[in-house]
Amino acid sequence: MDDNSAADEKRKFLDKWIESKGTASDLASRYPDCACEQATASPKNGLGPVEDTEILRYFYVSRSDGDLKSRKRLQPTPRMFDRAFKGGMSVVRLQHASREEVYHTADELSGYQKSLYGNEFGGILGVADFSALAMRIEYETEQRMCCVLDTPLDNKPSHADVVYNLPDIPREDQPDIRNRIFNSAKIPECYKTVDDVEDVDLKPFLPSKLKAS
């Protein structure tokens, strides 16, 4: 199989993985060492492989990421990477995303959180903007950590997923790995509250508990 055919096969697998809501282990078992990163662009609206230099945005939401009821975890913690071991951690490729797409993504996430926890506690607390390379390679050890995949959705062509690169990681081993990714990528330095985000107005998506305070 030539390189183009192999890249097409990876695209087909990724598209099925997205549609079937596949797991991180499904992906890592089928394509070890993040080989699926080189999939061709989706025939519908794909942008092609995510470059190391691209900046990715993660929306930090309440209460999944920060718990306003207990006033804990209002700043990012390594637990934001839980999804990288499950079905993928959703991010936006800022280099390609329009302001409308960023706003639409925030609106969807905020609406989902509010449907679960109500307007008082559900919503968006901030964002973390980091490079794709920071997810892929641990800074100090140069060890491969996560895959960063082009996974466009119908109304979000700049959608991507961060997925841990090895399958079936025991639950007891995950906290240490999360900490390593978090520290290597210097997430606290990448984090901005909703008030500090300048490229799009995210203030409407704050939980009303924070608006009131």
Side-chain angles (χ1 to χ4, degrees):
M1 184 180 294
D2 61 30
D3 290 345
N4 289 336
S5 297
D8 286 340
E9 285 299 314
K10 291 168 186 173
R11 180 74 261 164
K12 290 176 183 177
F13 177 86
L14 272 186
D15 286 343
K16 289 181 180 178
W17 182 78
I18 297 166
E19 184 178 354
S20 64
K21 302 186 185 301
T23 68
S25 287
D26 292 337
L27 192 73
S29 297
R30 178 66 178 83
Y31 285 109
D33 300 321
C34 298
C36 50
E37 286 182 330
Q38 299 308 312
T40 54
S42 170
K44 291 193 299 183
N45 57 0
L47 299 166
V50 180
E51 300 293 334
D52 283 345
T53 54
E54 287 190 42
I55 301 301
L56 311 174
R57 172 165 291 175
Y58 175 79
F59 288 94
Y60 191 74
V61 296
S62 174
R63 297 177 63 208
S64 300
D65 293 321
D67 190 351
L68 291 177
K69 285 191 173 181
S70 64
R71 306 297 296 184
K72 292 179 180 177
R73 293 191 289 119
L74 297 189
Q75 298 294 314
T77 72
R79 290 202 51 188
M80 64 186 280
F81 291 106
D82 277 355
R83 295 173 185 83
F85 297 93
K86 298 174 183 176
M89 173 180 164
S90 290
V91 293
V92 178
R93 301 171 69 175
L94 287 184
Q95 177 177 324
H96 300 283
S98 65
R99 182 173 296 186
E100 290 75 19
E101 183 179 348
V102 176
Y103 189 90
H104 172 67
T105 300
D107 190 28
E108 278 194 344
L109 285 171
S110 177
Y112 179 70
Q113 294 296 316
K114 291 180 187 299
S115 73
L116 293 177
Y117 309 117
N119 291 339
E120 184 178 15
F121 296 107
I124 293 176
L125 302 176
V127 304
D129 294 342
F130 41 78
S131 71
L133 181 62
M135 294 295 100
R136 287 172 167 152
I137 304 295
E138 186 175 21
Y139 178 72
E140 291 187 355
T141 66
E142 298 187 358
Q143 179 179 338
R144 172 60 101 151
M145 299 298 283
C146 296
C147 313
V148 183
L149 309 169
D150 171 44
T151 52
L153 304 177
D154 286 340
N155 55 355
K156 293 183 283 189
S158 302
H159 181 274
D161 274 290
V162 175
V163 183
Y164 191 63
N165 74 314
L166 296 176
D168 303 320
I169 301 300
R171 184 177 296 273
E172 61 270 22
D173 293 340
Q174 293 178 18
D176 177 64
I177 298 171
R178 291 197 308 258
N179 289 341
R180 288 169 56 194
I181 301 169
F182 184 83
N183 293 328
S184 177
K186 301 180 180 178
I187 295 299
E189 297 175 23
C190 302
Y191 181 72
K192 304 172 188 174
T193 66
V194 162
D195 288 335
D196 292 330
V197 176
E198 296 180 351
D199 57 319
V200 64
D201 183 11
L202 299 180
K203 296 183 189 68
F205 306 123
L206 268 175
S208 62
K209 180 76 171 179
L210 283 182
K211 292 179 183 178
S213 61

